[in-house]
């Protein structure tokens, strides 16, 4: 007879998918990277991840494989039915393969009630989820997932984040009290080159940042941004922070310094930490 039995502990993981890599992170911050050659290789790489079948995984889908848009909220229930007809001709995914979800932002622009919709290929999602040798408990886009790095317990005014993801896409997002208030993937930026001039980049970013801050205050009626957080790469973060601080009269620092942890695959880490608030 067994008087005592030890139940296997369930580990929480975050996985972020990109075109050329997959990041796996634990809540502790420990992380691993796995190379791949596009979405066709994702199932094979995911099937070999060092996770247990009782573990729980939160998956971050890449910007490159999603269609995201803001639409007027349908006036009648069910909302999903109204959204489907609004999306059918607006996204490059066939209706039979369309999987979507929506979320309300915590503050609505003046005079409009809108929802943000995220669309993906149903076949792609099915293949990814079936390949992972663990329990997939959530799927989300990067901008929503990153909010778990800025918990509701954080005091102060909103934070503006500039985030370079694993595919070289640039996200501008504003978080406040653990919630996403604004996000936009900036067009015309490819920031993988180490030789980028931080002075020219600062000049280009100034208009996008100012527009986002104006929208936050005038349309969403929120307090002004308190700090600019950079998660580009180590060299750019260090050189760009003082330039943006001077331009906007706000403190600017890297995300690693803000969180006081080493540089990390931020989306995967945020997903792992999201289990604490799920």
């Amino acid at each position: 007879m067994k008087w005592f039995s030890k139940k296997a502990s369930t580990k929480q993981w975050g996985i972020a998918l990109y075109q050329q890599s997959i990041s796996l992170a634990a809540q502790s911050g420990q992380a691993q990277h796995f190379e791949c050659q596009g979405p066709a290789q994702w199932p094979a790489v995911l099937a070999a991840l060092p996770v247990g079948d009782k573990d729980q995984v939160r998956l971050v889908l890449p910007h490159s494989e999603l269609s995201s848009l803001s639409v007027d909220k349908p006036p009648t229930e069910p909302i999903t039915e109204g959204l489907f007809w609004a999306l059918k001709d607006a996204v490059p995914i066939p209706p039979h393969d369309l999987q979507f979800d929506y979320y309300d932002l915590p503050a609505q622009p003046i005079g409009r009630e809108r929802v943000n919709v995220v669309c993906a290929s149903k076949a792609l999602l099915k293949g990814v989820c079936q390949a992972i040798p663990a329990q997939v408990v959530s799927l989300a886009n990067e901008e929503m997932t990153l909010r778990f790095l800025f918990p509701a317990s954080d005091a102060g005014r909103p934070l503006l984040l500039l985030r370079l993801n694993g595919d070289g896409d640039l996200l501008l997002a504003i978080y406040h009290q653990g919630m996403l208030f604004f996000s936009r993937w900036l067009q015309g930026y490819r920031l993988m080159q180490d030789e980028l001039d931080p002075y020219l980049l600062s000049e280009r970013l100034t208009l996008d940042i100012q527009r986002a801050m104006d929208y936050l205050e005038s349309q969403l009626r929120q307090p002004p941004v308190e700090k600019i957080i950079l998660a580009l790469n180590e060299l750019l973060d260090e050189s760009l922070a003082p330039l943006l601080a001077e331009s906007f009269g706000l403190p600017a620092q890297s995300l690693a310094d803000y969180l006081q942890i080493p540089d990390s695959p931020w989306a995967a880490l945020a997903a792992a930490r999201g289990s604490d608030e799920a």
Side-chain angles (χ1 to χ4, degrees), residues 86 100 120 138 155 242:
F100 68 90
S138 71

Side-chain angles (χ1 to χ4, degrees), residues 147-221:
R147 76 188 192 276
F148 295 120
L149 298 178
F150 310 103
S153 58
D154 283 359
R157 303 199 310 267
L159 302 172
L160 186 145
L161 174 71
L162 286 170
R163 153 74 174 160
L164 180 65
N165 76 3
D167 289 330
D169 299 316
L170 184 60
L171 171 69
L172 190 162
I174 299 177
Y175 299 94
H176 184 40
Q177 296 178 342
M179 296 179 288
L180 172 67
F181 276 79
F182 175 91
S183 67
R184 179 165 298 156
W185 290 93
L186 302 181
Q187 302 300 313
Y189 294 90
R190 297 297 294 179
L191 302 181
M192 301 305 286
Q193 306 94 329
D194 291 335
E195 65 272 13
L196 274 172
D197 186 330
Y199 291 93
L200 293 178
L201 182 58
S202 174
E203 289 181 3
R204 290 186 62 197
L205 285 170
T206 295
L207 182 58
D208 287 310
I209 294 173
Q210 189 62 59
R211 284 174 174 170
M213 294 195 300
D214 290 344
Y215 181 80
L216 178 76
E217 295 183 51
S218 63
Q219 292 296 310
L220 301 184
R221 304 176 297 282

Side-chain angles (χ1 to χ4, degrees), residues 47 54 61 64 81 95 97 107 116-117 126 137 143 154 164 172 177 188 194 206 212 229 231 235 238 246 254 260:
K54 302 297 185 184
L61 302 170
S64 59
E81 183 175 328
D97 191 36
N116 283 8
V117 187
K126 182 178 179 180
V137 296
E143 50 267 48
D154 283 359
L164 180 65
L172 190 162
Q177 296 178 342
D194 291 335
T206 295
I229 307 295
L235 291 175
E238 183 177 341
E246 182 178 0
S254 71
Q260 297 186 339

Side-chain angles (χ1 to χ4, degrees), residues 15 22 24 32 34 41-52 131-134:
I15 297 176
I22 292 176
L24 173 71
Q32 299 179 61
F34 305 87
Q41 287 192 0
W42 286 347
V45 176
L46 291 169
L49 291 181
V51 297
I132 298 174

Side-chain angles (χ1 to χ4, degrees), residues 13-258:
W13 301 93
I15 297 176
L17 301 177
Y18 299 107
Q19 291 292 323
Q20 304 297 321
S21 67
I22 292 176
S23 297
L24 173 71
Q27 287 179 306
S28 63
Q30 294 178 321
Q32 299 179 61
H33 299 277
F34 305 87
E35 294 183 358
C36 61
Q37 297 298 321
Q41 287 192 0
W42 286 347
V45 176
L46 291 169
L49 291 181
V51 297
D53 59 357
K54 302 297 185 184
D55 293 351
Q56 295 186 338
V57 164
R58 284 165 172 78
L59 191 64
V60 185
L61 302 170
H63 170 62
S64 59
E65 297 297 323
L66 298 174
S67 292
S68 302
L69 59 163
S70 176
V71 300
D72 290 329
K73 191 171 186 177
T76 58
E77 297 288 347
I79 291 177
T80 52
E81 183 175 328
L83 288 176
F84 176 80
W85 293 107
L87 298 171
K88 187 170 67 73
D89 298 320
V91 298
I93 303 172
H96 71 272
D97 191 36
L98 177 61
Q99 183 73 45
F100 68 90
D101 201 355
Y102 70 93
Y103 57 90
D104 295 295
L105 291 177
Q108 290 285 347
I110 295 174
R112 308 185 74 177
E113 188 172 9
R114 299 179 70 82
V115 294
N116 283 8
V117 187
V118 183
C119 309
S121 161
K122 191 180 300 183
L124 177 69
L125 298 183
K126 182 178 179 180
V128 165
C129 291
Q130 289 181 342
I132 298 174
Q135 302 175 37
V136 179
V137 296
S138 71
L139 299 92
N141 59 8
E142 190 158 349
E143 50 267 48
M144 281 295 286
T145 302
L146 288 169
R147 76 188 192 276
F148 295 120
L149 298 178
F150 310 103
S153 58
D154 283 359
R157 303 199 310 267
L159 302 172
L160 186 145
L161 174 71
L162 286 170
R163 153 74 174 160
L164 180 65
N165 76 3
D167 289 330
D169 299 316
L170 184 60
L171 171 69
L172 190 162
I174 299 177
Y175 299 94
H176 184 40
Q177 296 178 342
M179 296 179 288
L180 172 67
F181 276 79
F182 175 91
S183 67
R184 179 165 298 156
W185 290 93
L186 302 181
Q187 302 300 313
Y189 294 90
R190 297 297 294 179
L191 302 181
M192 301 305 286
Q193 306 94 329
D194 291 335
E195 65 272 13
L196 274 172
D197 186 330
Y199 291 93
L200 293 178
L201 182 58
S202 174
E203 289 181 3
R204 290 186 62 197
L205 285 170
T206 295
L207 182 58
D208 287 310
I209 294 173
Q210 189 62 59
R211 284 174 174 170
M213 294 195 300
D214 290 344
Y215 181 80
L216 178 76
E217 295 183 51
S218 63
Q219 292 296 310
L220 301 184
R221 304 176 297 282
Q222 297 301 307
V225 165
E226 182 176 48
K227 183 177 293 188
I228 297 173
I229 307 295
L230 302 177
L232 306 175
N233 62 47
E234 188 173 352
L235 291 175
L236 274 177
D237 290 349
E238 183 177 341
S239 57
L240 198 58
L243 299 177
L244 293 179
E246 182 178 0
S247 295
F248 293 98
L250 294 171
Q253 65 181 134
S254 71
L255 182 56
D257 288 343
Y258 177 79

